[in-house]
């Protein structure tokens, strides 16, 4: 059964550095999402992406975040200048759009020092 | 805006006992509702979903949930708990069915299974 994959599983970076988190969605999915989960807190929606552009974004998704799907397979989340509070687990998800059902990847744990 | 409340951050049951995890939602339009399970150090796995086709929804691993509009609830149940059910469970709501909307999650319930 196809699965969403994410790399790396764990990323450690220094405050102020740029990071790129990568995701390979399931091939027949059309909608793609990023979520984050700060340790001990709920999963929070960041952004949805469809037809090569952002569909929806939350208040969390400010100018330091960007997403793209450059080659039709990888779906990336870039954080330009990381802050300590960006430390979290970041989940990629995808879906066909039917009933807004979303399938999640295993996550990337980002640690900002 | 929609919201989800999960009553009880921790629920402990004995192996073989009934599992009941509570979820209440708030939505101004008919929602789509989901339960996800997260095992330690893993991602979110979809357990089941409510899409208005039937109020009683059956999912994987013997779990089911019942949508009650009058109570704005979508509680998750399993008749007999197994040790492997120990995990974090998240209820989520979407008010858009087209795919663009993000899911709104509850804070999660940590299910503990006592031997």
């Amino acid at each position: 059964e196809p699965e969403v994959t994410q790399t790396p599983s764990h990323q450690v970076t220094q405050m102020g550095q740029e990071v790129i988190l990568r995701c390979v969605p399931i091939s027949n999915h059309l909608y793609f999402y990023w979520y984050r989960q700060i340790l001990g807190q709920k999963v929070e929606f960041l952004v949805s992406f469809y037809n090569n552009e952002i569909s929806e974004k939350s208040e969390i998704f400010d100018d330091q975040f960007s997403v793209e799907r450059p080659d039709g397979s990888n779906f990336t989340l870039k954080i330009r200048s990381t802050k300590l509070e960006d430390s979290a687990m970041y989940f990629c998800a995808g879906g066909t759009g039917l009933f807004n059902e979303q399938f999640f990847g295993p996550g990337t744990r980002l640690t900002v020092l | 805006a929609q919201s989800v409340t999960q009553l009880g951050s921790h629920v402990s049951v004995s192996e073989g006992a009934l599992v009941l995890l509570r979820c209440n939602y708030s939505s101004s339009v008919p929602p789509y509702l989901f339960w996800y399970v997260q095992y330690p150090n893993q991602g979110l796995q979809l357990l089941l979903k409510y899409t208005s086709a039937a109020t009683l929804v059956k999912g994987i691993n013997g779990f089911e949930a019942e949508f009650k509009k009058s109570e704005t609830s979508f509680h998750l149940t399993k008749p007999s708990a197994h040790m492997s059910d120990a995990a974090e469970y998240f209820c989520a709501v979407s008010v858009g069915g087209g795919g663009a909307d993000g899911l709104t999650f509850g804070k999660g319930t940590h299910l503990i299974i006592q031997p």
Side-chain angles (χ1 to χ4, degrees), chain A residues 51-85:
Chain A
N51 201 25
N52 262 338
E53 60 183 29
I54 290 174
S55 299
E56 298 284 342
K57 60 182 181 179
S58 70
E59 293 178 349
I60 304 168
F61 194 87
D62 60 23
D63 291 345
Q64 72 160 341
F65 291 95
S66 62
V67 289
E68 64 175 3
R69 196 164 181 243
D71 56 8
S73 60
N74 291 286
F75 179 49
T76 63
L77 174 69
K78 181 191 290 186
I79 309 175
R80 289 190 182 81
S81 178
T82 50
K83 306 171 187 172
L84 295 176
E85 54 265 37

Side-chain angles (χ1 to χ4, degrees), chain A residues 31 33 35 37 40-45 48 55-56 89 91 96-107 109, chain B residues 4 32 34 36 38 41-46 49 51 90 94-108:
Chain A
Y31 292 84
Y33 315 83
Y35 291 80
Q37 183 182 30
Q41 298 187 24
K42 67 168 85 174
V43 177
E44 300 173 291
F45 168 71
S48 63
S55 299
E56 298 284 342
M89 182 73 88
F91 292 107
T96 61
L98 184 63
F99 307 123
N100 208 13
E101 183 177 3
Q102 298 178 22
F103 296 88
F104 285 72
R109 181 166 297 285
Chain B
V4 174
Y32 296 107
F34 308 86
Y36 285 86
Q38 185 180 31
N41 301 313
Q42 295 188 28
L44 300 168
Q45 181 182 7
L46 181 64
K49 63 182 183 287
T51 61
F90 294 94
S94 171
V95 295
D101 294 329
L103 301 179
T104 299
F105 283 84
K107 292 185 176 181

Side-chain angles (χ1 to χ4, degrees), chain B residues 11-19 79-83 111-115:
Chain B
V11 170
S12 180
V13 302
S14 299
E15 191 175 17
L18 171 72
V19 175
S80 178
H82 192 272
M83 295 299 291
L111 178 61
I112 301 162
I113 310 297
Q114 303 282 1

Side-chain angles (χ1 to χ4, degrees), chain B residues 1 3 10 14 23 25 39 51-53 66 73 75 91 94-95 100 103 105-106 108 111-112:
Chain B
S3 65
H10 291 78
S14 299
C23 172
Y25 69 91
Y39 297 102
T51 61
S52 77
E66 186 172 10
S73 69
H75 301 333
C91 182
S94 171
V95 295
L103 301 179
F105 283 84
L111 178 61
I112 301 162

